[in-house]
Amino acid sequence: MTINQLSVFVENKIGSLVDVTKTLYENEIDMRTLSVAETPDFGVLRAIVNDPEKTARLLTDAGYVCKLTPVLAVAIDDRPGGMYRVLQTLEQHSINLEYTYAFVTRTTDTAYMVLRVADNEKAIQVLQEQNIRLVSAQEVFKL
Amino acid sequence: MEHYFQPEIERASRDQIRAWQDERLAKTVRHVYDHVPYYRTRMQEKGLTPEDIQSVDDLHKLPFLTKDDLREAYPYGLLAKPLSDCVRIQSTSGTTGRRVVAFYTQHDIDLWDECCARAIVAAGGTRDDVVHVCYGYGLFTGGPGLNGGSHKVGSLTLPMSSGNTERQIQFMCDLGSTILCCTPSYAAYLAESIHERGLQDKIKLKAGIFGAEAWTEEMRADIQNKLGIKAYDIYGLTEISGPGVSFECSEQTGMHINEDHFIAEIINPQTGEVLPDGEKGELVFTSITKEAFPLLRYRTRDICVLNRKPCSCGRTHVKMSKPMGRSDDMLIIKGVNVFPSQIEAVLLQQGYPANYQILVSRENNSDRLEVQVEMVPEMFSDSVSEIAQREKELINALKAMLGIYAKVTLVEPKTIARSEGKAVRVIDTRNLY
Ligand SMILES: [Zn+2]
């Protein structure tokens, strides 16, 4: 139940982001979410795309350094405290959260969270125990 | 099994080498005293006549010669033969001031070619090899030197010259090049390009002879792995003849100096005092067989160590270390001596590529050192903190090596310009002079 997230090394300047997203656009890559984590000098662009392997190849050929990482995506309940419940569950089981970001789609009212944790197996187990719904790549792209 | 181009010379007894040196030094000193007013004047200033220089023991009496002296003497001031006896010139890549022009008689070309032939045979070259020379041809000695050496060995010589990487790789594949001669940075670039094209199974290289710029053991390991070859170092300078003044053998622990042609000394660069073998200092050469442009006690500016321990290859000629720095390249940053080669060694140790640039600037009257390094897949992570942690480790390792703080900037791949000749690694914008 993991999703392959694409990350790309970019220099911290607007032109770098323009170039990467242009390559994605020109190759008609279907992208569900994109976020950038940055330091003053560089950034890591993270994206959930429909064909991560192909996209990684495209970007590598275009001269970028990129990487695929299995991450978790969960659906957040449409009621107060949905996000809190997810994070609290991870914390209670001492599962280290490297980073997280949320995204919404046009077609449903549900919000989704991407979770990058140290131990995917354990996180899946404890989240499922709390009836938190994990979302597959197929589902993300059929949304 | 070790092979030699001239075994009787390369394996001569130390006594024999010494006898050659004594005799040839005395003869060269007599020759320049009689034919070059510059040397005569400089010797007379010291109260010396040719009779005072009978053997290598007397060498220290002679004055040093520097690159500035050579520039002063441009173009004919040190010429020791009539121009009608000369057949060639070569010249240094003069970035500042006047160039240095070296003259060669046919005899001088022959001995230079023989020196390069010794290097090629030491790297395993035979008449059945295909020697691919992509040093520049022209005034630069790299191309002509290895070209001449390859002819002497009887190898098939590919005078590729530098540049046009596509064509280099195509010839390498189509003609089955076995020995590659170029700068180490270009060898690393070629290795990378061959891998990018997936052609590593199409090349037949077995050895490389790389020189004309500084390179590290890490870079050697990288080139050897990527190309599946043994990489040999070669050293030389136009003023003394060109590549082949010294060359590496299979032991890869230093370069044998062709002592039947060149006498090496190590001096304290500040005082000029001659240092014993094993001590680090500036390398000084005296050429004792050249006709047109013999130099007495020429200061190379290269910082080296000499080693006379017997070598497993059977050669008896002294070995010099890879130059550990060049006083020309030495940067003084915040009062500390910094050599680009030190920075490169740290980068490779830490797993970064040899594609880097050193930026030195001055902000608020204080020197600022920045090292830009290209990101590579091995160092990349989806986690910013992991990348930042590796960056911090690199900063600490640089600080441990240099003694000063260097800002590290990670840049996207292929954004630092790669040269196909000598690498330009340092951009110093301080304008201190
Ligand atoms: Zn040896």
Side-chain angles (χ1 to χ4, degrees):
Chain A
M1 222 18 160
T2 58
I3 293 179
N4 251 348
Q5 171 196 262
L6 174 78
S7 16
V8 189
F9 178 82
V10 285
E11 282 171 39
N12 211 347
K13 51 186 192 200
I14 180 80
S16 291
L17 281 177
V18 171
D19 290 345
V20 178
T21 48
K22 183 171 171 231
T23 306
L24 297 179
Y25 165 71
E26 284 174 350
N27 289 282
E28 294 173 347
I29 299 298
D30 189 2
M31 184 162 49
R32 272 295 168 268
T33 158
L34 181 143
S35 78
V36 182
E38 58 193 358
T39 72
D41 293 328
F42 67 87
V44 176
L45 178 153
R46 301 174 184 136
I48 305 288
V49 295
N50 59 343
D51 189 343
E53 285 80 15
K54 178 185 157 200
T55 314
R57 270 199 310 278
L58 274 170
L59 288 171
T60 304
D61 289 347
Y64 292 96
V65 172
C66 44
K67 186 181 171 167
L68 298 177
T69 318
V71 295
L72 304 178
V74 295
I76 306 292
D77 297 347
D78 190 17
R79 58 186 163 118
M83 207 175 266
Y84 164 66
R85 225 158 49 84
V86 172
L87 298 178
Q88 186 202 33
T89 304
L90 294 177
E91 199 211 358
Q92 275 171 352
H93 293 85
S94 309
I95 294 171
N96 205 21
L97 180 68
E98 184 73 50
Y99 54 81
T100 179
Y101 51 92
F103 65 102
V104 293
T105 67
R106 274 163 302 178
T107 48
T108 70
D109 289 335
T110 320
Y112 301 87
M113 260 176 107
V114 171
L115 304 169
R116 165 76 158 101
V117 294
D119 186 344
N120 276 336
E121 295 298 307
K122 193 173 167 199
I124 290 170
Q125 191 199 330
V126 301
L127 290 168
Q128 280 175 339
E129 278 165 16
Q130 293 298 314
N131 292 319
I132 292 166
R133 195 162 66 82
L134 284 138
V135 186
S136 67
Q138 289 88 331
E139 185 178 340
V140 168
F141 284 94
K142 271 193 232 115
L143 291 172
Chain B
M1 166 86 177
E2 193 78 31
H3 293 277
Y4 314 92
F5 180 64
Q6 290 164 311
E8 70 291 350
I9 297 171
E10 294 175 65
R11 308 179 62 176
S13 71
R14 288 302 313 169
D15 287 346
Q16 176 62 70
I17 294 170
R18 178 59 194 249
W20 282 328
Q21 289 188 334
D22 287 345
E23 182 209 323
R24 292 170 186 181
L25 173 65
K27 196 175 147 203
T28 299
V29 170
R30 163 59 70 187
H31 177 69
V32 299
Y33 189 89
D34 289 347
H35 295 95
V36 186
Y38 176 87
Y39 279 116
R40 189 159 55 242
T41 310
R42 295 288 301 274
M43 283 176 65
Q44 281 167 348
E45 280 166 11
K46 289 206 141 204
L48 293 171
T49 65
E51 286 70 41
D52 293 318
I53 313 298
Q54 297 291 336
S55 77
V56 177
D57 290 336
D58 301 319
L59 187 59
H60 70 275
K61 297 174 187 167
L62 291 167
F64 291 115
L65 198 60
T66 65
K67 192 150 194 159
D68 287 339
D69 295 331
L70 265 53
R71 290 198 182 110
E72 283 291 304
Y74 174 89
Y76 300 125
L78 286 166
L79 189 59
K81 276 278 178 181
L83 273 180
S84 56
D85 288 345
C86 297
V87 299
R88 173 99 66 83
I89 66 150
Q90 300 288 160
S91 177
T92 58
S93 52
T95 43
T96 52
R98 286 192 264 187
R99 284 173 167 265
V100 171
V101 173
F103 296 85
Y104 302 76
T105 63
Q106 187 56 50
H107 160 93
D108 296 337
I109 297 277
D110 285 340
L111 78 84
W112 174 26
D113 288 351
E114 278 172 16
C115 287
C116 288
R118 290 179 195 175
I120 292 170
V121 173
T126 67
R127 54 182 296 118
D128 297 322
D129 277 293
V130 179
V131 176
H132 188 112
V133 183
C134 38
Y135 282 115
Y137 280 64
L139 289 172
F140 176 54
T141 49
L146 271 306
N147 192 93
S150 175
H151 279 224
K152 290 265 181 203
V153 176
S155 310
L156 178 63
T157 312
L158 272 51
M160 302 299 300
S161 198
S162 54
N164 200 338
T165 303
E166 286 304 328
R167 189 177 62 194
Q168 301 281 1
I169 295 175
Q170 196 192 338
F171 271 73
M172 214 173 271
C173 293
D174 295 349
L175 292 167
S177 308
T178 55
I179 298 180
L180 174 65
C181 305
C182 60
T183 58
S185 62
Y186 192 52
Y189 180 74
L190 272 174
E192 198 180 303
S193 305
I194 287 167
H195 271 254
E196 273 173 7
R197 292 163 179 75
L199 291 172
Q200 51 271 42
D201 295 335
K202 295 269 188 302
I203 59 161
K204 297 197 173 66
L205 290 177
K206 65 176 188 187
I209 301 174
F210 307 129
E213 66 185 24
W215 54 312
T216 59
E217 284 305 319
E218 286 86 353
M219 205 167 161
R220 185 202 312 257
D222 184 49
I223 295 170
Q224 292 193 148
N225 283 338
K226 282 212 176 107
L227 290 177
I229 62 171
K230 191 151 176 168
Y232 295 85
D233 205 351
I234 188 168
Y235 174 89
L237 55 175
T238 309
E239 297 88 323
I240 297 301
S241 66
V245 170
S246 66
F247 60 94
E248 237 175 12
C249 62
S250 55
E251 213 185 85
Q252 294 184 319
T253 55
M255 294 174 276
H256 289 285
I257 295 170
N258 286 310
E259 284 187 285
D260 51 325
H261 297 302
F262 316 108
I263 302 174
E265 298 171 276
I266 293 286
I267 62 161
N268 175 328
Q270 267 88 44
T271 64
E273 173 204 0
V274 178
L275 301 174
D277 288 342
E279 282 197 36
K280 187 162 118 182
E282 185 179 335
L283 183 62
V284 174
F285 278 118
T286 298
S287 46
I288 51 174
T289 48
K290 283 178 71 180
E291 293 179 341
F293 201 69
L295 298 188
L296 301 182
R297 303 197 88 198
Y298 180 65
R299 294 183 62 157
T300 64
R301 300 274 159 207
D302 283 325
I303 307 293
C304 295
V305 173
L306 294 183
N307 171 8
R308 282 184 205 279
K309 287 200 206 91
C311 186
S312 63
C313 76
R315 288 179 184 79
T316 48
H317 294 226
V318 67
K319 280 193 289 194
M320 59 178 267
S321 67
K322 202 182 260 301
M324 294 158 182
R326 241 184 109 70
S327 34
D328 303 349
D329 289 348
M330 191 177 79
L331 296 159
I332 303 178
I333 303 170
K334 294 180 181 166
V336 174
N337 296 351
V338 173
F339 292 102
S341 56
Q342 294 175 302
I343 292 175
E344 181 168 323
V346 172
L347 289 174
L348 293 166
Q349 257 165 34
Q350 297 282 317
Y352 291 92
N355 294 309
Y356 65 95
Q357 203 155 49
I358 298 166
L359 305 169
V360 192
S361 57
R362 182 153 272 215
E363 281 172 13
N364 304 321
N365 288 320
S366 172
D367 291 340
R368 182 177 179 279
L369 170 62
E370 177 179 344
V371 180
Q372 294 190 339
V373 203
E374 285 182 4
M375 179 51 95
V376 279
E378 301 78 53
M379 303 309 283
F380 181 57
S381 163
D382 62 311
S383 154
V384 171
S385 57
E386 218 168 288
I387 299 175
Q389 178 58 33
R390 286 177 195 157
E391 198 178 7
K392 205 174 142 201
E393 283 163 16
L394 175 58
I395 290 169
N396 290 341
L398 284 169
K399 176 128 203 227
M401 170 69 95
L402 307 174
I404 54 170
Y405 168 77
K407 177 183 163 44
V408 167
T409 305
L410 297 168
V411 298
E412 287 169 19
K414 313 233 160 145
T415 47
I416 293 173
R418 276 163 227 223
S419 67
E420 298 195 345
K422 290 204 181 197
V424 181
R425 302 247 181 251
V426 182
I427 298 171
D428 191 338
T429 53
R430 288 177 293 180
N431 293 323
L432 295 180
Y433 308 104

